[in-house]
Amino acid sequence: MSQNGVPDFAELLRSAQYTAVHLEMRDIYSVGNEKAGFEDFLRTGRTDVDPDSPFWQGWTPLVRETVARGVQMRRARIVSEPVTDYIRWEHALTPVNVAVGEQVRWLPRRLASDIALPGNDLWLIDDRRVMFHWFTGDGDWAGHAFNEDPDVVKMVVAAFEAVWERAIDHEKFTV
């Protein structure tokens, strides 16, 4: 357990028994470990789609391990259109997420207007535990909070499922 009773992310994902879902709602992130890859994409249009490359080593082994235990992993992204350069890069990288076992869908923001959404990106584990992530205005990490309150979890489940139902499978979503 990390500080303040909030589990570290790998620990949280390893605790999943059935489902792990991720809701992303920003049009740009600027977290430090992605900076070089994003800048390269802007310069060259190329992305690292080798799930075994050093860029992915913090993520793909954890997803493979989680999916191998029978956990269903779903990721939904709500995006503005036209999409930002960051979202174009994220879309280009998503085949790796899919290749290692995640299901990914995209929802244009204009189709989410009547969905009650949480104020922050999140991970929901087994429809029981939520880890909210918040970011600075320009997209860098600003913190996170862990929540198991049944009313909060119920709201998050409803929001994610509404987004998922409307969202477009990655293979059919174009940027």
Side-chain angles (χ1 to χ4, degrees):
M1 188 74 68
S2 68
Q3 59 186 342
N4 302 325
V6 176
D8 113 324
F9 180 74
E11 178 185 340
L12 181 67
L13 199 52
R14 285 185 176 115
S15 76
Q17 296 178 326
Y18 309 105
T19 60
V21 304
H22 188 31
L23 180 59
E24 297 177 48
M25 299 181 285
R26 295 183 55 90
D27 288 319
I28 188 165
Y29 297 86
S30 63
V31 294
N33 64 330
E34 296 180 340
K35 187 175 183 178
F38 181 50
E39 288 174 354
D40 186 56
F41 174 74
L42 291 176
R43 271 192 323 277
T44 68
R46 290 189 308 262
T47 60
D48 182 348
V49 291
D50 175 1
D52 298 314
S53 74
F55 175 80
W56 288 100
Q57 284 315 293
W59 184 244
T60 57
L62 185 58
V63 173
R64 286 174 172 147
E65 169 192 318
T66 303
V67 171
R69 291 193 330 270
V71 175
Q72 180 186 48
M73 290 187 69
R74 296 184 294 160
R75 178 185 301 257
R77 295 174 170 143
I78 299 173
V79 297
S80 299
E81 294 177 306
V83 299
T84 62
D85 286 341
Y86 183 90
I87 295 299
R88 284 189 319 103
W89 178 60
E90 199 172 52
H91 187 270
L93 289 170
T94 299
V96 172
N97 299 85
V98 173
V100 297
E102 286 187 69
Q103 299 170 52
V104 180
R105 291 186 182 178
W106 303 80
L107 182 64
R109 193 171 309 281
R110 65 186 161 73
L111 301 178
S113 296
D114 62 343
I115 299 173
L117 295 168
N120 294 291
D121 287 12
L122 60 90
W123 277 92
L124 171 66
I125 306 298
D126 293 333
D127 290 349
R128 295 182 311 131
R129 296 163 293 176
V130 181
M131 181 177 281
F132 290 105
H133 297 287
W134 57 91
F135 298 86
T136 64
D138 59 1
D140 202 358
W141 290 109
H144 54 264
F146 187 65
N147 195 308
E148 294 180 291
D149 179 286
D151 291 332
V152 172
V153 169
K154 182 179 178 183
M155 179 271 302
V156 167
V157 169
F160 183 85
E161 294 303 331
V163 168
W164 189 257
E165 183 178 309
R166 291 183 190 180
I168 302 162
D169 285 329
H170 174 71
E171 293 77 21
K172 295 177 182 172
F173 186 75
T174 57
V175 295

